[in-house]
PDB file of all heavy atoms in Angstrom:
ATOM      1  N   LEU Q 669     -10.990   3.825 -19.192  1.00 98.00           N
ATOM      2  CA  LEU Q 669     -11.406   5.186 -19.115  1.00 98.00           C
ATOM      3  C   LEU Q 669     -12.938   5.295 -19.218  1.00 98.00           C
ATOM      4  O   LEU Q 669     -13.519   6.132 -18.555  1.00 98.00           O
ATOM      5  CB  LEU Q 669     -10.745   6.032 -20.225  1.00 98.00           C
ATOM      6  CG  LEU Q 669      -9.217   6.081 -20.150  1.00 98.00           C
ATOM      7  CD1 LEU Q 669      -8.690   7.129 -21.165  1.00 98.00           C
ATOM      8  CD2 LEU Q 669      -8.697   6.404 -18.703  1.00 98.00           C
ATOM      9  N   PRO Q 684      -9.540  12.509 -10.305  1.00 97.00           N
ATOM     10  CA  PRO Q 684      -8.415  12.280 -11.241  1.00 97.00           C
ATOM     11  C   PRO Q 684      -7.944  10.860 -11.242  1.00 97.00           C
ATOM     12  O   PRO Q 684      -7.901  10.174 -10.187  1.00 97.00           O
ATOM     13  CB  PRO Q 684      -7.356  13.234 -10.754  1.00 97.00           C
ATOM     14  CG  PRO Q 684      -8.111  14.323  -9.971  1.00 97.00           C
ATOM     15  CD  PRO Q 684      -9.253  13.600  -9.341  1.00 97.00           C
ATOM     16  N   VAL Q 685      -7.521  10.373 -12.401  1.00 98.00           N
ATOM     17  CA  VAL Q 685      -6.915   9.061 -12.542  1.00 98.00           C
ATOM     18  C   VAL Q 685      -5.470   9.262 -12.910  1.00 98.00           C
ATOM     19  O   VAL Q 685      -5.158   9.824 -13.965  1.00 98.00           O
ATOM     20  CB  VAL Q 685      -7.675   8.242 -13.664  1.00 98.00           C
ATOM     21  CG1 VAL Q 685      -7.000   6.894 -13.801  1.00 98.00           C
ATOM     22  CG2 VAL Q 685      -9.101   8.112 -13.316  1.00 98.00           C
ATOM     23  N   LEU Q 686      -4.555   8.815 -12.082  1.00 98.00           N
ATOM     24  CA  LEU Q 686      -3.110   8.870 -12.317  1.00 98.00           C
ATOM     25  C   LEU Q 686      -2.651   7.565 -12.866  1.00 98.00           C
ATOM     26  O   LEU Q 686      -2.847   6.503 -12.255  1.00 98.00           O
ATOM     27  CB  LEU Q 686      -2.360   9.314 -11.027  1.00 98.00           C
ATOM     28  CG  LEU Q 686      -2.836  10.575 -10.345  1.00 98.00           C
ATOM     29  CD1 LEU Q 686      -1.926  10.920  -9.171  1.00 98.00           C
ATOM     30  CD2 LEU Q 686      -2.854  11.760 -11.355  1.00 98.00           C
ATOM     31  N   VAL Q 687      -1.896   7.635 -13.936  1.00 98.00           N
ATOM     32  CA  VAL Q 687      -1.415   6.355 -14.555  1.00 98.00           C
ATOM     33  C   VAL Q 687       0.101   6.373 -14.487  1.00 98.00           C
ATOM     34  O   VAL Q 687       0.734   7.249 -15.082  1.00 98.00           O
ATOM     35  CB  VAL Q 687      -1.903   6.242 -16.002  1.00 98.00           C
ATOM     36  CG1 VAL Q 687      -1.399   4.902 -16.650  1.00 98.00           C
ATOM     37  CG2 VAL Q 687      -3.429   6.374 -16.100  1.00 98.00           C
ATOM     38  N   MET Q 702      -4.565   6.151 -24.974  1.00 97.00           N
ATOM     39  CA  MET Q 702      -5.552   6.625 -24.036  1.00 97.00           C
ATOM     40  C   MET Q 702      -6.179   7.945 -24.507  1.00 97.00           C
ATOM     41  O   MET Q 702      -7.376   8.169 -24.303  1.00 97.00           O
ATOM     42  CB  MET Q 702      -4.914   6.791 -22.698  1.00 97.00           C
ATOM     43  CG  MET Q 702      -4.645   5.487 -21.947  1.00 97.00           C
ATOM     44  SD  MET Q 702      -4.221   5.656 -20.223  1.00 97.00           S
ATOM     45  CE  MET Q 702      -2.714   6.678 -20.367  1.00 97.00           C
ATOM     46  N   LEU Q 706     -10.065   8.679 -24.817  1.00 97.00           N
ATOM     47  CA  LEU Q 706     -10.727   9.744 -24.031  1.00 97.00           C
ATOM     48  C   LEU Q 706     -11.554  10.624 -24.982  1.00 97.00           C
ATOM     49  O   LEU Q 706     -12.622  11.051 -24.577  1.00 97.00           O
ATOM     50  CB  LEU Q 706      -9.565  10.593 -23.377  1.00 97.00           C
ATOM     51  CG  LEU Q 706     -10.061  11.710 -22.410  1.00 97.00           C
ATOM     52  CD1 LEU Q 706     -10.713  11.088 -21.199  1.00 97.00           C
ATOM     53  CD2 LEU Q 706      -8.885  12.545 -21.967  1.00 97.00           C
ATOM     54  N   VAL Q 715     -13.434  12.412 -16.777  1.00 97.00           N
ATOM     55  CA  VAL Q 715     -12.229  11.558 -16.531  1.00 97.00           C
ATOM     56  C   VAL Q 715     -10.941  12.291 -16.738  1.00 97.00           C
ATOM     57  O   VAL Q 715     -10.320  12.238 -17.753  1.00 97.00           O
ATOM     58  CB  VAL Q 715     -12.290  10.317 -17.519  1.00 97.00           C
ATOM     59  CG1 VAL Q 715     -11.247   9.291 -17.080  1.00 97.00           C
ATOM     60  CG2 VAL Q 715     -13.719   9.683 -17.569  1.00 97.00           C
ATOM     61  N   PRO Q 716     -10.547  13.064 -15.711  1.00 97.00           N
ATOM     62  CA  PRO Q 716      -9.258  13.773 -15.768  1.00 97.00           C
ATOM     63  C   PRO Q 716      -8.130  12.763 -15.591  1.00 97.00           C
ATOM     64  O   PRO Q 716      -8.105  12.071 -14.564  1.00 97.00           O
ATOM     65  CB  PRO Q 716      -9.328  14.782 -14.631  1.00 97.00           C
ATOM     66  CG  PRO Q 716     -10.352  14.223 -13.696  1.00 97.00           C
ATOM     67  CD  PRO Q 716     -11.335  13.395 -14.505  1.00 97.00           C
ATOM     68  N   VAL Q 717      -7.246  12.697 -16.531  1.00 97.00           N
ATOM     69  CA  VAL Q 717      -6.157  11.689 -16.500  1.00 97.00           C
ATOM     70  C   VAL Q 717      -4.800  12.409 -16.624  1.00 97.00           C
ATOM     71  O   VAL Q 717      -4.627  13.317 -17.398  1.00 97.00           O
ATOM     72  CB  VAL Q 717      -6.317  10.669 -17.684  1.00 97.00           C
ATOM     73  CG1 VAL Q 717      -5.202   9.623 -17.600  1.00 97.00           C
ATOM     74  CG2 VAL Q 717      -7.706  10.086 -17.690  1.00 97.00           C
ATOM     75  N   ALA Q 718      -3.875  11.973 -15.805  1.00 97.00           N
ATOM     76  CA  ALA Q 718      -2.493  12.432 -15.913  1.00 97.00           C
ATOM     77  C   ALA Q 718      -1.570  11.206 -15.845  1.00 97.00           C
ATOM     78  O   ALA Q 718      -1.901  10.176 -15.213  1.00 97.00           O
ATOM     79  CB  ALA Q 718      -2.133  13.402 -14.743  1.00 97.00           C
ATOM     80  N   THR Q 719      -0.449  11.256 -16.545  1.00 97.00           N
ATOM     81  CA  THR Q 719       0.448  10.126 -16.642  1.00 97.00           C
ATOM     82  C   THR Q 719       1.802  10.537 -16.104  1.00 97.00           C
ATOM     83  O   THR Q 719       2.217  11.700 -16.062  1.00 97.00           O
ATOM     84  CB  THR Q 719       0.570   9.640 -18.069  1.00 97.00           C
ATOM     85  OG1 THR Q 719       1.227  10.635 -18.871  1.00 97.00           O
ATOM     86  CG2 THR Q 719      -0.809   9.367 -18.689  1.00 97.00           C
ATOM     87  N   ARG Q 737       1.700  14.692 -15.925  1.00 96.00           N
ATOM     88  CA  ARG Q 737       1.357  15.417 -17.183  1.00 96.00           C
ATOM     89  C   ARG Q 737      -0.076  15.109 -17.594  1.00 96.00           C
ATOM     90  O   ARG Q 737      -0.432  13.902 -17.752  1.00 96.00           O
ATOM     91  CB  ARG Q 737       2.359  15.065 -18.246  1.00 96.00           C
ATOM     92  CG  ARG Q 737       2.222  15.858 -19.535  1.00 96.00           C
ATOM     93  CD  ARG Q 737       3.193  15.362 -20.567  1.00 96.00           C
ATOM     94  NE  ARG Q 737       2.996  16.014 -21.861  1.00 96.00           N
ATOM     95  CZ  ARG Q 737       3.495  15.536 -23.008  1.00 96.00           C
ATOM     96  NH1 ARG Q 737       4.235  14.417 -23.031  1.00 96.00           N
ATOM     97  NH2 ARG Q 737       3.259  16.214 -24.147  1.00 96.00           N
ATOM     98  N   ARG Q 738      -0.817  16.149 -17.768  1.00 96.00           N
ATOM     99  CA  ARG Q 738      -2.218  15.931 -18.210  1.00 96.00           C
ATOM    100  C   ARG Q 738      -2.296  15.225 -19.546  1.00 96.00           C
ATOM    101  O   ARG Q 738      -1.573  15.543 -20.492  1.00 96.00           O
ATOM    102  CB  ARG Q 738      -2.890  17.303 -18.263  1.00 96.00           C
ATOM    103  CG  ARG Q 738      -4.397  17.248 -18.739  1.00 96.00           C
ATOM    104  CD  ARG Q 738      -5.061  18.585 -18.513  1.00 96.00           C
ATOM    105  NE  ARG Q 738      -6.343  18.613 -19.253  1.00 96.00           N
ATOM    106  CZ  ARG Q 738      -7.296  19.521 -19.056  1.00 96.00           C
ATOM    107  NH1 ARG Q 738      -7.087  20.509 -18.144  1.00 96.00           N
ATOM    108  NH2 ARG Q 738      -8.407  19.486 -19.749  1.00 96.00           N
ATOM    109  N   LEU Q 739      -3.237  14.267 -19.658  1.00 96.00           N
ATOM    110  CA  LEU Q 739      -3.302  13.405 -20.873  1.00 96.00           C
ATOM    111  C   LEU Q 739      -3.716  14.220 -22.060  1.00 96.00           C
ATOM    112  O   LEU Q 739      -3.148  14.127 -23.115  1.00 96.00           O
ATOM    113  CB  LEU Q 739      -4.315  12.291 -20.629  1.00 96.00           C
ATOM    114  CG  LEU Q 739      -4.510  11.354 -21.820  1.00 96.00           C
ATOM    115  CD1 LEU Q 739      -3.243  10.643 -22.240  1.00 96.00           C
ATOM    116  CD2 LEU Q 739      -5.622  10.337 -21.476  1.00 96.00           C
ATOM    117  N   ASP Q 740      -4.745  15.114 -21.921  1.00 85.00           N
ATOM    118  CA  ASP Q 740      -5.266  15.860 -23.068  1.00 85.00           C
ATOM    119  C   ASP Q 740      -4.741  17.257 -23.191  1.00 85.00           C
ATOM    120  O   ASP Q 740      -5.451  18.093 -23.696  1.00 85.00           O
ATOM    121  CB  ASP Q 740      -6.811  15.866 -23.050  1.00 85.00           C
ATOM    122  CG  ASP Q 740      -7.298  16.478 -21.742  1.00 85.00           C
ATOM    123  OD1 ASP Q 740      -6.520  16.685 -20.807  1.00 85.00           O
ATOM    124  OD2 ASP Q 740      -8.507  16.837 -21.678  1.00 85.00           O
ATOM    125  N   TRP Q 757      -6.574  20.924 -13.779  1.00 92.00           N
ATOM    126  CA  TRP Q 757      -8.014  21.015 -14.066  1.00 92.00           C
ATOM    127  C   TRP Q 757      -8.632  22.050 -13.158  1.00 92.00           C
ATOM    128  O   TRP Q 757      -9.196  21.740 -12.091  1.00 92.00           O
ATOM    129  CB  TRP Q 757      -8.690  19.656 -13.791  1.00 92.00           C
ATOM    130  CG  TRP Q 757      -8.033  18.532 -14.551  1.00 92.00           C
ATOM    131  CD1 TRP Q 757      -8.203  18.226 -15.923  1.00 92.00           C
ATOM    132  CD2 TRP Q 757      -7.063  17.568 -14.095  1.00 92.00           C
ATOM    133  NE1 TRP Q 757      -7.484  17.140 -16.237  1.00 92.00           N
ATOM    134  CE2 TRP Q 757      -6.776  16.687 -15.175  1.00 92.00           C
ATOM    135  CE3 TRP Q 757      -6.495  17.301 -12.847  1.00 92.00           C
ATOM    136  CZ2 TRP Q 757      -5.875  15.645 -15.068  1.00 92.00           C
ATOM    137  CZ3 TRP Q 757      -5.600  16.280 -12.731  1.00 92.00           C
ATOM    138  CH2 TRP Q 757      -5.299  15.436 -13.788  1.00 92.00           C
TER     139      TRP Q 757
END
Side-chain angles (χ1 to χ4, degrees):
L669 301 187
V685 179
L686 304 185
V687 183
M702 288 192 298
L706 188 66
V715 191
V717 182
T719 68
R737 183 183 176 197
R738 178 170 167 165
L739 178 61
D740 58 346
W757 304 283

